[in-house]
Amino acid sequence: MSSADQPAAPLAGVTVVALEQAVSAPMCTRVLADFGARVIKVENPAGGDFARHYDDVVNGPGGLAAHFVWANRNKESVVLDLKSAAGLDVLHRLLERADVLVSNLAPGSTARLGISAQQLRQRHPDVIAVEIDGYGAGGPLSSKRAYDLLTQAESGSCAVTGHPGMPAKPGPPIADISSGLYSALSIMALLYSRHQGGRRGGAVSVSLFDTMMDLMGYPLTYTQHSGIDQQPLGMGSPAVAPYGAYETSDGQTVVLGTTNDHEWQRLAREIIDRPDLADDPRFASNSDRVANRDILDDAIRTWCARYDLDHIQKTADAAGIGNARYNLPSEVLTHPQLSARDRWRTVATTSGPIEAILPPPIIEGYEQPMGPVPGLGEHTDAVLSELGLSGEEIDRLRQQGAIA
């Protein structure tokens, strides 16, 4: 489809100003940019978003940081010293033209800068103010710094991950990512309300801790009504059985799962050829199978050890039983499901082009732009010129240290 035929992006014409760092807010604004919003990322002159410096593996050594490249395509970078009056004045000029302000600064930072939701309501009433923090306002932890691991530990997520006595953090930063997605969803809801003639502006606060409370819905509900702290099961699930990872005869790992009684019957009779287990009252219901999971795991493990991965997966597919291959990240990079569906796109960066995966939503007639990852302050002069500042004024701001 040519650019002339490409329909307008869903968020075309929406401008987002971002005071962001690390993952949660950058993921929020990247999602908005994927849907066509213009995102102006305001960074500090002392190195910008600290996620720029986590590592240098992208087109490295001496390249870009993997976290930053992942979460910051399709954005423009403007460097402002918000501790200076001149820099803060430029920010307000940006907000005069903006629809949304997204921030995830340290607790109290937006209020000290005069741009909290309440303060924006007075000066920029049409701006949707979204603030992502660690623990939410009004509690004993509200003033604490919070990162993904900290809120996962505080929320109980680590206690249900890993193995008994060996708690672990889930691999992806799920508190950060999910908070970013909840924030983006909230922004879209308020933009829709505005489009429908509802109120303009609005304030949204999303905390990593509250996000984890939602993601922890099942284990918290289970414990609330049973009094039992479920133990982590590694590659298994405390909710259903059998469901786990098993070694194959060719040194691979297959993951097999059942979610209901009918699937259990098919697995027992058609896959592992154990009608005795299918008829055993100890495994009649899912609750029964959970209570006796060790017996079932041993039976499935014994069967899987006799066959290679290909045979096991074909047998499971024929029986209508869910299954997957346990992959390393290096194996996922060449996954045939990605290549067959043309899910890779080239993204420009200041250290050269890279390949990145398209966002999950597939929208008929619209493909998300996979725009460049900005260099620090790359767009400062261009954006300030749009605000009406002359070259002399921009030079003066630079001399004052208000911009970099």
Side-chain angles (χ1 to χ4, degrees):
M1 179 181 294
S2 69
S3 58
D5 296 328
Q6 175 88 330
L11 294 182
V14 173
T15 297
V16 179
V17 174
L19 305 180
E20 58 182 23
Q21 53 200 5
V23 176
S24 59
M27 280 302 298
C28 168
T29 58
R30 199 208 76 182
V31 168
L32 299 175
D34 288 340
F35 285 105
R38 181 187 187 186
V39 175
I40 300 174
K41 182 182 181 81
V42 176
E43 301 188 69
N44 69 73
D49 183 341
F50 54 71
R52 286 183 177 272
H53 313 292
Y54 280 165
D55 54 60
D56 63 353
V57 302
V58 179
N59 292 331
L64 305 178
H67 268 93
F68 189 83
V69 167
W70 160 56
N72 286 282
R73 64 170 180 260
N74 285 337
K75 300 180 185 179
E76 300 168 51
S77 172
V78 172
V79 169
L80 296 178
D81 180 4
L82 298 183
K83 295 180 180 178
S84 71
L88 197 56
D89 178 67
V90 172
L91 175 65
H92 281 289
R93 294 179 70 167
L94 285 172
L95 292 173
E96 288 173 0
R97 302 183 175 203
D99 301 282
V100 182
L101 171 65
V102 176
S103 66
N104 68 330
L105 306 179
S109 294
T110 55
R112 287 191 294 271
L113 291 171
I115 54 171
S116 67
Q118 294 75 17
Q119 292 162 326
L120 282 181
R121 191 175 295 118
Q122 302 301 317
R123 186 162 179 178
H124 305 287
D126 291 341
V127 172
I128 297 169
V130 180
E131 189 161 356
I132 304 173
D133 64 13
Y135 294 103
L141 303 184
S142 297
S143 62
K144 289 177 70 71
R145 281 186 175 271
Y147 304 118
D148 182 88
L149 173 59
L150 305 181
T151 53
Q152 290 212 46
E154 197 78 41
S155 69
S157 170
C158 296
V160 297
T161 307
H163 296 273
M166 295 184 289
K169 172 193 172 297
I174 58 174
D176 278 336
I177 295 171
S178 300
S179 295
L181 294 176
Y182 274 117
S183 299
L185 179 62
S186 300
I187 290 166
M188 291 183 182
L190 289 176
L191 289 172
Y192 176 78
S193 175
R194 183 173 75 179
H195 178 72
Q196 294 296 103
R199 63 172 185 167
R200 300 180 68 84
V204 177
S205 60
V206 175
S207 77
L208 274 63
F209 185 71
D210 289 345
T211 293
M212 288 309 303
M213 290 300 94
D214 198 24
L215 298 187
M216 284 287 291
Y218 163 70
L220 290 176
T221 301
Y222 186 94
T223 300
Q224 181 182 25
H225 294 279
S226 70
I228 297 170
D229 285 317
Q230 291 179 316
Q231 296 299 298
L233 295 171
M235 288 286 289
S237 167
V240 292
Y243 194 52
Y246 310 94
E247 296 297 317
T248 68
S249 66
D250 57 341
Q252 303 290 324
T253 299
V254 66
V255 180
L256 293 172
T258 61
T259 59
N260 57 60
D261 294 341
H262 296 297
E263 288 184 356
W264 155 241
Q265 289 292 320
R266 293 201 302 273
L267 186 148
R269 297 179 189 278
E270 301 176 29
I271 298 181
I272 65 173
D273 193 24
R274 291 292 302 272
D276 59 311
L277 296 180
D279 295 332
D280 194 319
R282 291 178 298 170
F283 313 119
S285 71
N286 182 65
S287 295
D288 297 326
R289 294 190 293 276
V290 167
N292 295 283
R293 71 168 68 248
D294 289 345
I295 300 173
L296 300 182
D297 281 341
D298 284 343
I300 298 171
R301 189 177 297 112
T302 299
W303 182 84
C304 288
R306 300 203 302 263
Y307 300 100
D308 63 24
L309 177 70
D310 184 64
H311 173 82
I312 293 170
Q313 290 200 280
K314 286 180 178 177
T315 304
D317 286 340
I321 297 300
N323 62 91
R325 179 180 188 264
Y326 170 83
N327 287 314
L328 299 174
S330 55
E331 294 168 318
V332 176
L333 291 174
T334 58
H335 202 297
Q337 189 72 5
L338 295 174
S339 57
R341 297 170 61 242
D342 192 27
R343 296 296 293 164
W344 291 97
R345 292 292 182 274
T346 300
V347 172
T349 79
T350 54
S351 66
I354 63 168
E355 294 300 304
I357 298 174
L358 281 165
I362 298 174
I363 302 172
E364 183 179 5
Y366 173 75
E367 181 174 303
Q368 295 91 336
M370 299 291 278
V373 177
L376 179 60
E378 179 181 346
H379 304 91
T380 302
D381 287 22
V383 171
L384 267 58
S385 295
E386 284 184 42
L387 297 178
L389 277 72
S390 67
E392 291 180 354
E393 290 173 308
I394 294 173
D395 288 341
R396 187 159 52 250
L397 287 172
R398 185 165 284 114
Q399 291 167 6
Q400 296 171 350
I403 64 175

